[in-house]
Amino acid sequence: MAKKAQEKNGIREWGIVRYLRDTRAELKKVTWPTREEALNLTYIVLGVTVAFAIFLGLIDWVLTELFSRFVFS
């Protein structure tokens, strides 16, 4: 794309205006999830996040215990 403004219906269209028009056109093409799909995906994300937090917490606890036993013994 050229850096110059494009002509559209006799009106010069600058970068930000073109960007906003293109964004609006792309959003019209989006297939949005249903409420049920969105809730299910949200539950999956929350579940994975909690599971990963527990996993990292356990690893942190184990490494802290090992480190404290070697340093302070």
Side-chain angles (χ1 to χ4, degrees):
M1 280 195 210
K3 290 187 178 182
K4 297 179 183 177
Q6 293 180 349
E7 290 286 333
K8 186 173 183 179
N9 298 331
I11 300 172
R12 292 176 67 164
E13 194 173 83
W14 295 99
I16 188 72
V17 174
R18 186 173 57 243
Y19 170 76
L20 291 174
R21 286 182 198 266
D22 291 345
T23 300
R24 185 175 180 196
E26 288 298 319
L27 285 174
K28 287 181 180 180
K29 298 177 188 176
V30 172
T31 303
W32 297 101
T34 64
R35 180 175 175 84
E36 185 178 335
E37 290 172 331
L39 284 173
N40 286 337
L41 293 172
T42 300
Y43 295 144
I44 290 170
V45 168
L46 290 174
V48 169
T49 302
V50 168
F52 199 63
I54 291 170
F55 174 72
L56 288 176
L58 287 172
I59 288 184
D60 180 50
W61 178 75
V62 167
L63 292 176
T64 301
E65 288 296 318
L66 289 173
F67 184 73
S68 65
R69 288 178 196 258
F70 285 118
V71 172
F72 299 117
S73 56

